[in-house]
Amino acid sequence: MSKLLICSESTKDFLSDFDEVRVVKGAPDVSILSEVGSYEKVTAIGGGAVVDTAKILSSKPIVCYPTTASGATETSWSVYWDGTDKKSLKRQKPKEVIIDSEFLNLPEKVIRDTTCDVVSHFLDSMFSKKKTEVSEEYCIEGLNLLRRKGSIVDLIRAGRLGGKAIEITGTNLLHSLSYPLTGIYEISHGEALGYFLPKISKFMGVDVSDITEEVSLNDIDIDLVVEEALKYDKINECSIFIDRKTLQEVLL
C-alpha cells in the first residue's frame, strides 16, 4: 500500500520512507475533487492548507504534524476554492495529531497570521448561535493559553482548542468577511482575518489587542467585501445582529 506525504516546502525533508511526496503551496482548488479519497495512508506536515489537502486525498483518517494554529487537525471539514468562492467538503478527522517542535521554526509573519486565525476561531465560536458550554470552555482555555505568551507549541495547542470549538459551532462573521479578501485580493487567510480583527473584536466587545497584531492593507473596497461576505449563509449564524449597513459602519 503506497504511503503519501502532504507537506509544505519548508517541511518536505523532515520525514522519509514515503512512496510519494506532494508539496502544497496554498489551499486546494476545485480540481482536487477528482482525487477525493484516492489514498489510504496519508501523513500531513504543515498548516491548514496541507492538512485540508491530506484529508481530502485520504480515504481514511490521516496522521498529521500541525505547524500552525489553523485547527484543521480537529475538524471534519476541508476547505477548497472554486474560483473566488470558498467551499467546504465533509471529511474524516485525523486519527493522530503530533506536535513536534522540530517542525516549528516559523517566520514572524506566519506566527502573526496564524495567531489571527485562531483568535478568529475563538471569537466566531463565542458569538455563534450554536455555542455550547463545551465550545465556550475551549475558547476561554485557548485565549488564556495565548495570553500567557508561551512557546510556539502552546500556540499550536491553542489552535487545536480553536479547531475543537469550531467543530461544534462552525465559523461565521469574521471568516465570512475574510473570504472575499482571499478570493478576490489573494490575501492569505490569516492576514485577511487580522485585517478585520481590531474592528470586529471591538464590535463584539472583546479586547484581543494583547494577543494579536494589527494588519494594515491598502486599496480594499469594503463595500464589495461586505457584499460578497453576505452571500455566505454562515454569516447569519453570528449571535449578534448584522446587516449590510451595520457592517459598513463597523468597517469604514
Side-chain angles (χ1 to χ4, degrees):
M1 185 183 302
S2 62
K3 294 187 291 184
L4 172 67
L5 172 65
I6 307 292
C7 59
S8 61
E9 186 68 38
S10 63
T11 59
K12 66 180 181 180
D13 297 325
F14 278 111
L15 293 181
S16 58
D17 194 31
F18 288 91
D19 302 300
E20 183 180 344
V21 176
R22 189 177 300 196
V23 175
V24 170
K25 297 183 178 179
D29 62 29
V30 67
S31 65
I32 200 171
L33 297 184
S34 66
E35 297 185 273
V36 173
S38 297
Y39 297 84
E40 289 190 19
K41 298 190 70 174
V42 181
T43 298
I45 311 176
V50 169
V51 176
D52 281 348
T53 299
K55 288 192 290 187
I56 292 172
L57 293 178
S58 183
S59 62
K60 297 181 178 180
I62 67 170
V63 173
C64 58
Y65 297 75
T67 61
T68 71
S70 73
T73 59
E74 310 306 315
T75 70
S76 55
W77 296 91
S78 285
V79 170
Y80 69 94
W81 286 83
D82 186 355
T84 60
D85 295 327
K86 174 262 181 188
K87 305 285 187 179
S88 295
L89 184 67
K90 186 72 171 176
R91 303 305 295 150
Q92 300 178 81
K93 287 196 288 187
K95 66 179 180 181
E96 187 174 4
V97 181
I98 303 159
I99 301 176
D100 191 328
S101 58
E102 181 183 9
F103 305 152
L104 302 179
N105 184 23
L106 302 180
E108 287 300 318
K109 183 181 183 302
V110 174
I111 293 174
R112 181 201 71 178
D113 291 353
T114 197
T115 300
C116 290
D117 190 12
V118 64
V119 170
S120 297
H121 287 160
F122 292 140
L123 294 187
D124 272 357
S125 184
M126 289 168 65
F127 290 88
S128 170
K129 294 176 180 178
K130 299 177 181 177
K131 179 179 71 172
T132 67
E133 289 185 4
V134 173
S135 67
E136 190 165 31
E137 287 173 2
Y138 288 142
C139 295
I140 293 170
E141 182 180 351
L143 287 170
N144 287 337
L145 185 57
L146 291 175
R147 286 194 163 99
R148 289 203 288 270
K149 304 289 185 181
S151 64
I152 299 295
V153 170
D154 289 331
L155 174 59
I156 309 303
R157 287 173 177 157
R160 294 191 66 185
L161 290 167
K164 291 176 185 290
I166 63 170
E167 176 70 0
I168 295 171
T169 65
T171 55
N172 47 76
L173 176 54
L174 274 159
H175 281 70
S176 295
L177 286 169
S178 77
Y179 299 145
L181 288 194
T182 300
I184 298 171
Y185 294 97
E186 299 184 347
I187 294 166
S188 70
H189 181 57
E191 190 170 22
L193 289 165
Y195 175 71
F196 291 113
L197 263 174
K199 291 181 178 179
I200 295 298
S201 61
K202 183 178 180 181
F203 173 60
M204 290 175 164
V206 180
D207 185 5
V208 292
S209 60
D210 58 328
I211 303 174
T212 60
E213 297 178 32
E214 189 167 344
V215 174
S216 298
L217 298 172
N218 298 317
D219 302 319
I220 302 299
D221 184 340
I222 291 298
D223 289 336
L224 173 62
V225 170
V226 169
E227 179 182 350
E228 293 299 314
L230 288 169
K231 294 178 182 178
Y232 289 97
D233 291 339
K234 67 164 58 184
I235 199 170
N236 298 310
E237 294 172 6
C238 181
S239 59
I240 304 174
F241 173 76
I242 50 172
D243 57 12
R244 184 185 305 273
K245 182 180 178 182
T246 302
L247 284 178
Q248 288 170 334
E249 290 175 350
V250 169
L251 298 174
L252 290 174

